[in-house]
């Protein structure tokens, strides 16, 4: 099993330092925006508790999608933490949104 040491190849196969910085920045930005996307379910959850349930299809599919992506990140040769961290909130918020649709 390969472990991600966050070290990039050196020598002939070296990755330019500028590219490494760009990839790390992109990874952080993508993780943040993905989490923000799932946190945006909070108004839908509030709406569900207020007696105005939202449709079930979108949060259900988002939860399934996030589950697949988190599972993919977990089962790769090395754990892909940005994918895992950004999709676990999708599983939780999606599931909670679906549950609150029926418990209002």
């Amino acid at each position: 099993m390969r472990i991600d040491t966050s070290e990039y190849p050196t020598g002939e196969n070296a990755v330019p330092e500028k590219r490494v910085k760009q990839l790390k920045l992109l990874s952080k930005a993508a993780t943040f925006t993905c989490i923000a996307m799932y946190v945006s379910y909070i108004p839908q959850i509030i709406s569900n508790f207020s007696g105005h349930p939202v449709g079930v299809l979108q949060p259900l599919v988002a939860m399934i999608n996030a589950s697949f992506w988190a599972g993919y990140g977990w089962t790769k040769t090395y754990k892909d933490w940005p994918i895992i961290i950004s999709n676990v909130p999708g599983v939780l918020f999606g599931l909670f949104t679906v549950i609150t649709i029926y418990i209002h």
Side-chain angles (χ1 to χ4, degrees):
M1 176 184 211
R2 193 175 111 201
I3 298 173
D4 183 14
T5 61
S6 297
E7 295 177 15
Y8 289 85
T10 57
E12 186 177 301
N13 297 325
V15 177
E17 188 175 334
K18 183 177 180 181
R19 175 120 170 102
V20 171
K21 287 181 181 180
Q22 290 173 338
L23 289 170
K24 288 183 178 184
L25 180 62
L26 179 60
S27 172
K28 289 175 184 174
T31 300
F32 174 78
T33 56
C34 190
I35 291 170
M37 175 180 65
Y38 292 126
V39 169
S40 69
Y41 278 116
I42 292 173
Q44 291 183 353
I45 294 168
I46 292 169
S47 181
N48 291 339
F49 279 127
S50 299
H52 306 289
V54 298
V56 71
L57 185 61
Q58 198 276 334
L60 179 64
V61 173
M63 178 192 69
I64 293 168
N65 181 55
S67 298
F68 286 152
W69 276 111
Y72 168 77
W74 188 263
T75 58
K76 283 180 66 173
T77 305
Y78 62 92
K79 298 201 182 337
D80 196 335
W81 289 108
I83 290 176
I84 296 167
I85 291 168
S86 62
N87 283 286
V88 167
V91 175
L92 300 175
F93 280 108
L95 177 63
F96 195 63
T97 304
V98 169
I99 290 170
T100 60
I101 289 170
Y102 298 106
I103 306 175
H104 57 280

